[in-house]
Amino acid sequence: MRDPFFSPPGILVRATKPLARRLALNTLPFHAHEILPAFCIYEFINRVVSPYVSARLAPKTYPNLSRKTKINWNVHFVSMVQSCFINTLALWVIYMDKERRQMDRRERVWGYTGAGGMVQGFAAGYFAWDLLASAEDVDIHGWGALFHALSALTVSMMGFRPFVNYYGLNLILCELSTPFLNIHWWLDKVGMTGSTLQLVNGIALLATFGGSRLIWGTYQSYSMYKDIWRAIQNPGELPVPIWLAGAYLVSTLALSCLNFYWFGQMIQAVTKRFEKPKEEGKKRR
């Protein structure tokens, strides 16, 4: 399936080809027009759209937040927009791209379709923005968020060789839990901690996080490693450089480990909000 987005401007293709050749990212020039606008749009949402919209949707909360909390709020706003957009786009391509569905083992490692590259391009644009935002305010977001952004961007960019582009699209669906995570965070900030809405959202958060990231993500990672291993064992087809397989393995394993760690943290965070208050806490009220 061809890229349904508009064709890349010739000047941008020519400008990115030297870098693409040097890094062996052969399909990068054909999707730079999706990476760069995505990066710029998310930065615009972070700096302009989120402060404007949030001040009107939460007039009693957002203007009174500290600088650090406002930064975190805006990042969650960007994350909400991105996750809804990229999940919808990925599901649409998975459903519509017949060429992708017919890929065999070899094509799942080295195959490429324009539509899949489009999703990868928009995702890479976000992860590039996320890396910059995490590095700029690492004291707020933490080193885990920075490492997650770096690993995700590395995996996305390596897909432009192309390499395991098929699985890259499947792993995008790990973002299905992100909207519920953002809602959970916002409910705390607007004074709805422990509410029925937060309980329902918390259940949805744990279910989608466990289902999409731990079960689906782990299964897709295992299938991907298996196909890569078979490609390494059959170098006559198309040899997989050991360094490439190793880099992808390290990055995806790091993401998986963070997901399992964060899931444990989420269970504690969600259950903590619905524990019965201690007697001391009742007296203070």
Side-chain angles (χ1 to χ4, degrees), residues 113-164:
T113 69
M118 172 192 66
V119 178
Q120 180 187 350
F122 284 126
Y126 169 75
F127 290 131
W129 175 85
D130 191 33
L131 178 61
L132 179 65
S134 299
E136 186 178 2
D137 296 297
V138 69
D139 59 317
I140 299 174
H141 308 302
W143 289 99
L146 178 64
F147 195 66
H148 179 273
L150 178 61
S151 298
L153 180 60
T154 300
V155 168
S156 296
M157 293 304 292
M158 285 193 295
F160 289 114
R161 294 183 68 89
F163 183 66
V164 292

Side-chain angles (χ1 to χ4, degrees), residues 23-98:
L23 299 177
L25 302 177
N26 301 307
T27 63
L28 177 63
F30 308 114
H31 298 286
H33 69 303
E34 291 150 352
I35 299 173
L36 296 177
F39 178 90
C40 295
I41 288 171
Y42 290 132
E43 179 65 8
F44 180 75
I45 291 173
N46 178 55
R47 301 286 182 181
V48 179
V49 178
S50 177
Y52 179 82
V53 173
S54 300
R56 282 151 183 79
L57 291 180
K60 295 181 180 180
T61 302
Y62 184 81
N64 299 316
L65 296 175
S66 66
R67 172 186 166 276
K68 288 186 176 182
T69 308
K70 279 184 178 179
I71 290 174
N72 220 341
W73 180 296
N74 295 336
V75 167
H76 280 278
F77 194 103
V78 176
S79 172
M80 191 69 167
V81 173
Q82 188 269 345
S83 58
C84 292
F85 169 69
I86 206 68
N87 282 321
T88 302
L89 195 62
L91 287 169
W92 180 77
V93 172
I94 289 172
Y95 178 76
M96 295 295 295
D97 194 346
K98 295 180 181 179

Side-chain angles (χ1 to χ4, degrees), residues 144-206:
L146 178 64
F147 195 66
H148 179 273
L150 178 61
S151 298
L153 180 60
T154 300
V155 168
S156 296
M157 293 304 292
M158 285 193 295
F160 289 114
R161 294 183 68 89
F163 183 66
V164 292
N165 198 268
Y166 174 91
Y167 288 108
L169 197 58
N170 289 347
L171 290 171
I172 286 289
L173 297 182
C174 289
E175 292 291 320
L176 286 169
S177 64
T178 303
F180 301 103
L181 175 62
N182 293 323
I183 292 172
H184 180 81
W185 189 89
W186 279 323
L187 289 174
D188 277 343
K189 297 301 176 286
V190 298
M192 296 184 68
T193 300
S195 63
T196 301
L197 178 58
Q198 191 174 54
L199 174 61
V200 173
N201 182 78
I203 294 171
L205 169 60
L206 294 178

